Amino acid sequence: MEWRRNEEQVNIESAGGLSDREIVLENSSREDKHECPFGRSAIELTKTLCEILQVGELHVNDRERRAVLPVTCPSCAEGVPMKVGMITTPCSLHMRGHLRSFFCICIQLLNKTWKEMRATAEDFNKVMQVVREQITRALPSKPNSLEQLKNKLRGLSYTEILRLRQSERLSQDDFQSPPIVELREKIQPEILELIKQQRLNRLCEGSSFRKVGNRRRQERFWFCRLALNHKVLHYGDLEENAQGEVPYESLQEKIPVADIKAVLTGKDCPHMKEKSALKQNKEVLELAFSIVYDPDETLNFIAPNKYEYCIWIDGVNALLGREMSSELTRSDMDTLLSMEMKLRLLDLENIQIPEVPPPIPKEPSSYDFVYHYG
């Protein structure tokens, strides 16, 4: 069975992502409650793919046979199509090699979605539902190859799925009427201001960051927090990782917010260019950002997780008067806007909302009914 295991390893690696071993190692490095059960996930994903692709089902009428992906079968010029809903493309995805490659792409997608959702064991079924939705949303686009399918799935992140769900809910007739659209546009600035205040409050509480370029066995940390008047960033080294707030008096260094020029992320950060080892670490690269301030100095960060990364990127952009464009902001906006709309329209449930306002009545012939004070 060793040759078969090696063959599966090659297939997962050739799918352009993490190998099965790397996926398992990545999971083992997470907190216990956020560890993705690889074996259970692989079994459930196999069942899901068989259901979506209708593997094993026979279709007598050749004219009604349909396929999912236009992937050319190496042993057959036309391939053997199969029926999957109403998606019709000439391919042979159900062939052994292609189905295996499809599984390899999807198991990486599942691991990525689990990480984005910060899921626990109790969220397993919820994650599988999202993965199923990601796959079924990608297939109708009729990608011409497995590579195109992989790129399509990569674009359907958990945040994008939430956005699509929200968009579809709002696309219903009731939510497209002019009064509802006007109400939503009126609420959005209020929600955005609420998110902005939350980000700034979070920066005032501060966060602990790992020291960049630390080669000692024991990791070293530093702390950064925003002043309560939002005018100064205080930061300084720590003896050990802080579990709560660190007093301003303990943070010796300062950066005036007025001196901050820009925020750099990912590969653009100076510490990612200088440290080749960090640059090759994709996970670290996604958590890196730098604050550029006068005179051409930088304060380099590596966030402990994606949540803290989004909080700080949004918070600093808010201080600079720029748009908060992180995935977390979009997700919070969709969630809070949806909740606020539902609350405000609660009394109008099952009531038809008119497209146009009612006509203004004619003026009365006499105003004798008006009560004069005094």
Side-chain angles (χ1 to χ4, degrees), residues 194-247:
L194 182 65
I195 295 173
K196 176 183 175 181
Q197 291 303 319
Q198 188 272 338
R199 300 295 191 264
L200 294 177
N201 290 340
R202 186 65 188 78
L203 261 61
C204 290
E205 294 175 6
S207 300
S208 176
F209 300 93
R210 184 163 54 90
K211 288 281 268 187
V212 179
N214 177 37
R215 296 184 178 179
R216 300 185 181 183
R217 291 184 179 180
Q218 184 178 1
E219 285 190 325
R220 297 184 62 189
F221 298 89
W222 63 286
F223 198 87
C224 185
R225 63 183 298 194
L226 178 66
L228 296 178
N229 60 7
H230 300 172
K231 292 185 178 181
V232 179
L233 275 177
H234 298 260
Y235 66 97
D237 293 342
L238 298 175
E239 294 297 330
E240 57 183 14
N241 193 13
Q243 299 299 323
E245 291 186 8
V246 175

Side-chain angles (χ1 to χ4, degrees), residues 73-211:
C73 174
S75 60
C76 172
E78 298 180 356
V80 183
M82 58 185 293
K83 180 179 179 182
V84 183
M86 296 302 294
I87 305 170
T88 309
T89 47
C91 77
S92 55
L93 182 61
H94 64 296
M95 300 295 289
R96 178 186 173 191
H98 297 311
L99 182 57
R100 183 187 303 147
S101 298
F102 189 31
F103 170 84
C104 294
I105 292 173
C106 292
I107 194 67
Q108 295 171 32
L109 173 70
L110 191 153
N111 183 65
K112 174 174 172 284
T113 302
W114 186 282
K115 182 178 178 181
E116 291 173 345
M117 296 176 64
R118 297 181 58 81
T120 61
E122 290 77 11
D123 301 320
F124 182 83
N125 292 332
K126 181 181 177 182
V127 174
M128 292 307 303
Q129 290 173 3
V130 173
V131 171
R132 173 186 282 271
E133 184 173 346
Q134 289 170 319
I135 297 171
T136 53
R137 284 183 182 274
L139 295 181
S141 63
K142 301 179 182 179
N144 293 318
S145 65
L146 285 170
E147 184 65 27
Q148 288 188 11
L149 172 64
K150 183 174 66 176
N151 293 334
K152 180 67 177 177
L153 289 171
R154 189 180 294 133
L156 289 170
S157 63
Y158 176 57
T159 304
E160 179 65 12
I161 291 295
L162 292 179
R163 189 192 68 79
L164 290 172
R165 288 176 177 176
Q166 177 71 10
S167 177
E168 289 170 357
R169 283 197 297 267
L170 295 178
S171 65
Q172 299 174 3
D173 293 339
D174 288 346
F175 284 93
Q176 287 303 308
S177 61
I180 301 301
V181 173
E182 184 180 346
L183 175 62
R184 189 165 63 248
E185 292 175 351
K186 181 180 179 181
I187 293 175
Q188 277 183 338
E190 301 175 9
I191 300 296
L192 192 60
E193 182 63 25
L194 182 65
I195 295 173
K196 176 183 175 181
Q197 291 303 319
Q198 188 272 338
R199 300 295 191 264
L200 294 177
N201 290 340
R202 186 65 188 78
L203 261 61
C204 290
E205 294 175 6
S207 300
S208 176
F209 300 93
R210 184 163 54 90
K211 288 281 268 187

